[in-house]
């Protein structure tokens, strides 16, 4: 299966600032996904990022708050903009490679103070 | 390095029957968390059950229960009275500071 390098693994940020999370995949994948896990909750899908097209956002998530880039088939970034303490969560990327199934990053633990 | 193994890529079960999904992991740590997530076609990741390694008692959530064997590093999920809505991918995951996921088991509940 694919290997995903997700960075940073954790960060503590001031409110009002932005953080960009990166996911690098060791093989080309069409479909990448970004999730958020608030404390004690499930992993909620933020958006699907396909190379060559705009990201598709789930209900409750908007591009201005969570801009996503997908410049090529091995890389994607998620930015958490104008952060507030409510954005303190684990953020996780995932890829789908058809018959090879799903692979997940290791997560980014974000604390906003 | 920690690893999580789900050895059953696909399983099927008759409606109302019981099914067990296996998960093994490897770690040298003593305190950690284990999870089972359900992923329906929407690709949401629904938390099914969570187990803290320091707790000996197996976690239970309604029809879902786990058999946590810490010494054997095993964390299987039992679904009782299977329902059609249980059809999904199921992922086992391990966490200390970071997540490590298994490759998933595709479960199909047959009418």
């Amino acid at each position: 299966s694919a290997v995903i390098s997700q960075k940073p693994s954790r960060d503590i940020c001031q409110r009002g600032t932005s953080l960009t999370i990166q996911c690098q995949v060791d093989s080309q994948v069409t479909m990448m996904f970004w999730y958020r896990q608030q404390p004690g909750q499930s992993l909620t899908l933020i958006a699907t990022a396909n190379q060559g097209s705009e990201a598709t956002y789930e209900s409750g998530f908007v591009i201005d708050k969570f801009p996503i880039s997908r410049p090529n088939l091995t890389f994607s970034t998620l930015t958490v903009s104008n952060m507030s303490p409510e954005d303190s969560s684990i953020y996780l990327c995932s890829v789908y490679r058809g018959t090879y199934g799903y692979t997940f990053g290791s997560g980014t633990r974000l604390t906003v103070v | 390095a920690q690893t999580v193994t789900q050895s059953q890529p696909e399983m099927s079960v008759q409606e109302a029957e019981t099914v067990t999904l296996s998960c093994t992991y490897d770690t040298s740590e003593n305190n950690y968390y284990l999870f089972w997530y359900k992923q329906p076609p929407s690709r949401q990741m629904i938390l099914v059950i969570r187990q803290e390694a320091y707790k000996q008692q197996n976690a239970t959530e309604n029809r879902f229960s786990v058999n946590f064997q810490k010494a054997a590093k095993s964390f299987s999920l039992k679904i009782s009275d299977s329902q059609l809505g249980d059809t999904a991918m199921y992922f086992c995951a391990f966490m200390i500071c970071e997540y490590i996921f298994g490759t998933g088991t595709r479960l199909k509940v047959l009418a």
Side-chain angles (χ1 to χ4, degrees), chain A residues 8-97:
Chain A
S9 58
R10 58 178 57 218
D11 208 340
I12 301 173
C13 301
Q14 295 291 324
R15 66 179 66 200
T17 63
S18 297
L19 175 72
T20 295
I21 301 166
Q22 301 179 1
C23 275
Q24 178 75 52
V25 191
D26 68 347
S27 57
Q28 294 183 337
V29 294
T30 302
M31 304 184 76
M32 292 186 74
F33 309 94
W34 287 97
Y35 293 88
R36 178 179 74 179
Q37 184 175 39
Q38 295 176 302
Q41 303 299 312
S42 292
L43 284 157
T44 301
L45 182 63
I46 297 173
T48 300
N50 293 332
Q51 197 271 335
S53 63
E54 294 289 324
T56 302
Y57 288 83
E58 298 294 310
S59 176
F61 297 96
V62 296
I63 188 171
D64 290 345
K65 177 67 175 178
F66 298 101
I68 289 171
S69 78
R70 185 79 204 274
N72 57 54
L73 290 172
T74 64
F75 188 77
S76 179
T77 67
L78 169 76
T79 298
V80 186
S81 304
N82 187 25
M83 287 183 287
S84 66
E86 291 71 34
D87 294 319
S88 297
S89 297
I90 294 173
Y91 294 87
L92 188 74
C93 66
S94 172
V95 301
Y96 179 67
R97 295 175 65 222

Side-chain angles (χ1 to χ4, degrees), chain B:
Chain B
Q2 290 95 357
T3 59
V4 175
T5 301
Q6 292 180 252
S7 59
Q8 304 152 315
E10 294 185 355
M11 295 189 73
S12 61
V13 62
Q14 289 294 135
E15 196 175 8
E17 297 294 309
T18 296
V19 64
T20 298
L21 280 57
S22 67
C23 174
T24 58
Y25 59 94
D26 189 24
T27 183
S28 58
E29 302 292 334
N30 193 47
N31 295 317
Y32 47 87
Y33 296 92
L34 294 163
F35 307 86
W36 277 98
Y37 284 96
K38 172 185 177 181
Q39 187 188 56
S42 67
R43 293 198 169 101
Q44 294 291 346
M45 294 283 282
I46 302 166
L47 178 62
V48 174
I49 206 162
R50 162 186 162 135
Q51 175 84 42
E52 290 91 344
Y54 65 86
K55 289 186 178 179
Q56 292 185 335
Q57 186 173 4
N58 289 327
T60 299
E61 288 289 343
N62 300 313
R63 297 183 295 108
F64 299 88
S65 62
V66 296
N67 183 6
F68 173 47
Q69 301 289 329
K70 191 172 183 180
K73 298 177 183 174
S74 172
F75 184 62
S76 61
L77 174 70
K78 185 171 80 171
I79 306 174
S80 304
D81 186 24
S82 298
Q83 300 175 359
L84 296 177
D86 296 334
T87 293
M89 284 287 290
Y90 287 82
F91 291 95
C92 177
F94 168 99
M95 173 186 271
I96 299 178
C97 297
E98 299 178 339
Y99 262 118
I100 299 171
F101 282 83
T103 50
T105 296
R106 187 177 301 278
L107 176 66
K108 188 169 185 179
V109 180
L110 307 172

